[in-house]
Amino acid sequence: QKQEGSLCAQHCLNNLLQGEYFSPVELSSIAHQLDEEERMRMAEGGVTSEDYHTFLQQPSGNMDDSGFFSIQVISNALKVWGLELILFNSPEYQRLRIDPINERSFICNYKEHWFTVRKLGKQWFNLNSLLTGPELISDTYLALFLAQLQQEGYSIFVVKGDLPDCEADQLLQMIRVQQMHRPKLIGEELAQLKEQRVHKTDLERVLEANDGSGMLDEDEEDLQRALALSRQEIDMEDEEADLRRAIQLSMQGSSRNISQDIPQTSGTNLTSEELRKRREAYFEKQQQKQQQQKQQQQQGDLSGQSSHPCERPTTSSGALGSDLGKACSPFIMFATFTLLSDIWAPSDFCFTLFFIPSLIILRLLSKFVIY
């Protein structure tokens, strides 16, 4: 039996006998009977004596309102079954030198708590009503267990006599049990159950609070996914923009390099009239140089003729045409480039571009002109 209130004496007796043999009313009746016997003994000294009046004023020593019963009540209850209690650590019992394994059962008491240690079949069990179930005690541990109880202040009583037959004893005579986990105290179990209830209540409260926000959590997850996708798109757009900017800069750099490779013929913008004047001055200088070269050549020819007086000068149409061609070529070139300068006056670059090749071509053609 498990503990109910303070009826540990009742549970101790019923666990010992393995049945519902005693009730609180029956034990209370035994306690009242013991109280009456004690009163009658006190009355023998005189009902008018001071000790008798003091005894009457004191509460019962065999029971109280909490359900506690004295060892006298338990002992008288066991006499009904022909059982006797002997104090385990008494000199009379210690002289017998009986091994605890050879006994059948023990009743242990500490302050107001009672419990039974009994042998069922071939194994010992702690039938404490404060435990959640029977606790298996090995034969080698039994003596140590009883010695530990004595050291803690327990009073141990050996139950002498034949206990009534019970189903548990018959069953355990045939089989042996093995206990994997030691039973816990009822207080510990209640504390754990209370803690589990509190934890469960908190969990239910959290779940109830989350029931209304379940959809919000899903919406938040969708929002996070959308933000992540938008960040990826922005990053891709930024990469494309950087690529386009790099291509544009490279193109600007190449065009800048090309513009730097083209020579700048003038740092200022000139009008067509100024360009024509510059060209006329340039051709006049060229014509003067050619005339000077021609005069120097003629002087050389005259000096050669004076050194050979017998030789007559020979003239021919081919030589004359050649001389005329050479003489007229500067004028033709000048007229031609004057015309070109009027046409290609927009820039010095265009004039230079067409002037040099044209000068070479006309110079070559002038050698084949026939006058």
Side-chain angles (χ1 to χ4, degrees):
Q1 289 184 350
K2 293 184 179 180
Q3 182 76 26
E4 292 182 3
S6 298
L7 300 175
C8 53
Q10 175 195 354
H11 302 314
C12 174
L13 291 173
N14 290 333
N15 288 336
L16 174 66
L17 301 175
Q18 288 294 294
E20 297 289 339
Y21 294 102
F22 294 100
S23 65
V25 176
E26 294 173 342
L27 295 178
S28 297
S29 177
I30 295 174
H32 285 300
Q33 184 179 356
L34 292 174
D35 290 341
E36 184 64 21
E37 292 176 358
E38 291 177 1
R39 187 189 66 78
M40 291 178 63
R41 286 195 297 270
M42 293 297 297
E44 292 177 356
V47 293
T48 59
S49 64
E50 185 177 354
D51 293 338
Y52 180 76
H53 289 288
T54 303
F55 173 79
L56 293 178
Q57 293 176 358
Q58 291 180 351
S60 172
N62 295 303
M63 62 173 293
D64 59 19
D65 296 336
S66 66
F68 168 77
F69 296 97
S70 65
I71 183 62
Q72 289 80 9
V73 175
I74 294 174
S75 178
N76 286 353
L78 291 176
K79 286 179 181 180
V80 177
W81 293 92
L83 300 174
E84 183 183 0
L85 295 179
I86 300 176
L87 190 61
F88 178 73
N89 57 353
S90 64
E92 293 81 6
Y93 183 80
Q94 293 297 324
R95 283 195 298 267
L96 298 176
R97 298 182 181 274
I98 300 175
D99 191 346
I101 299 176
N102 297 325
E103 299 292 349
R104 293 289 298 169
S105 60
F106 300 91
I107 290 179
C108 305
N109 168 252
Y110 179 71
K111 293 184 178 180
E112 296 182 354
H113 180 62
W114 300 89
F115 69 92
T116 298
V117 178
R118 174 176 171 167
K119 189 174 187 179
L120 294 171
K122 298 179 181 180
Q123 295 174 289
W124 285 90
F125 293 90
N126 177 12
L127 303 179
N128 193 338
S129 59
L130 294 179
L131 295 177
T132 56
E135 179 185 10
L136 180 63
I137 302 175
S138 63
D139 293 343
T140 56
Y141 182 63
L142 177 62
L144 180 62
F145 177 74
L146 296 175
Q148 183 179 357
L149 291 178
Q150 284 182 319
Q151 188 175 5
E152 291 177 359
Y154 276 84
S155 299
I156 302 174
F157 299 90
V158 182
V159 180
K160 290 292 187 178
D162 296 330
L163 296 170
D165 293 335
C166 63
E167 184 179 358
D169 185 60
Q170 295 174 1
L171 181 61
L172 292 175
Q173 289 288 346
M174 298 181 291
I175 61 173
R176 296 179 65 89
V177 298
Q178 292 182 355
Q179 193 169 44
M180 302 301 296
H181 302 285
R182 179 185 176 276
K184 299 179 181 179
L185 291 172
I186 294 178
E188 294 178 358
E189 185 183 27
L190 292 176
Q192 290 182 354
L193 290 175
K194 184 178 180 181
E195 184 178 357
Q196 290 177 359
R197 291 194 193 98
V198 172
H199 180 69
K200 184 178 179 181
T201 304
D202 295 339
L203 182 60
E204 290 176 351
R205 192 179 296 111
V206 171
L207 291 175
E208 290 176 358
N210 290 335
D211 286 341
S213 61
M215 297 300 295
L216 295 176
D217 294 339
E218 294 179 358
D219 294 339
E220 290 180 358
E221 292 179 359
D222 295 338
L223 179 60
Q224 294 295 332
R225 294 193 196 98
L227 291 175
L229 292 175
S230 64
R231 292 193 192 97
Q232 293 179 358
E233 293 177 357
I234 292 172
D235 294 339
M236 293 176 65
E237 292 177 357
D238 292 340
E239 292 178 358
E240 293 178 356
D242 294 338
L243 180 59
R244 289 196 297 269
R245 195 177 298 109
I247 294 173
Q248 185 177 2
L249 291 174
S250 64
M251 294 176 65
Q252 292 178 357
S254 61
S255 61
R256 190 178 297 111
N257 293 333
I258 293 172
S259 63
Q260 290 177 357
D261 293 339
I262 299 175
Q264 301 293 331
T265 57
S266 176
T268 59
N269 295 327
L270 299 176
T271 62
S272 58
E273 184 66 24
E274 292 176 348
L275 290 173
R276 185 166 49 253
K277 289 180 179 180
R278 289 188 179 184
R279 295 187 195 104
E280 289 176 355
Y282 174 76
F283 286 119
E284 288 177 358
K285 291 180 180 179
Q286 293 293 328
Q287 186 178 4
Q288 290 177 2
K289 289 181 180 179
Q290 290 178 359
Q291 288 178 357
Q292 290 177 0
Q293 291 177 357
K294 183 179 179 182
Q295 290 176 1
Q296 291 176 0
Q297 187 176 3
Q298 289 177 355
Q299 290 177 0
D301 293 340
L302 291 176
S303 62
Q305 290 178 1
S306 60
S307 61
H308 300 43
C310 295
E311 295 180 358
R312 294 177 64 185
T314 60
T315 60
S316 64
S317 61
L320 180 60
S322 177
D323 293 337
L324 291 173
K326 293 177 180 179
C328 294
S329 61
F331 295 100
I332 294 171
M333 292 171 62
F334 176 76
T336 301
F337 287 111
T338 303
L339 179 62
L340 290 173
S341 65
D342 293 336
I343 296 173
W344 299 100
S347 65
D348 292 338
F349 173 71
C350 295
F351 174 75
T352 305
L353 182 63
F354 286 93
F355 171 74
I356 297 173
S358 300
L359 179 63
I360 296 171
I361 293 171
L362 294 175
R363 185 64 176 172
L364 293 173
L365 292 175
S366 64
K367 294 181 180 181
F368 301 98
V369 176
I370 300 175
Y371 296 94

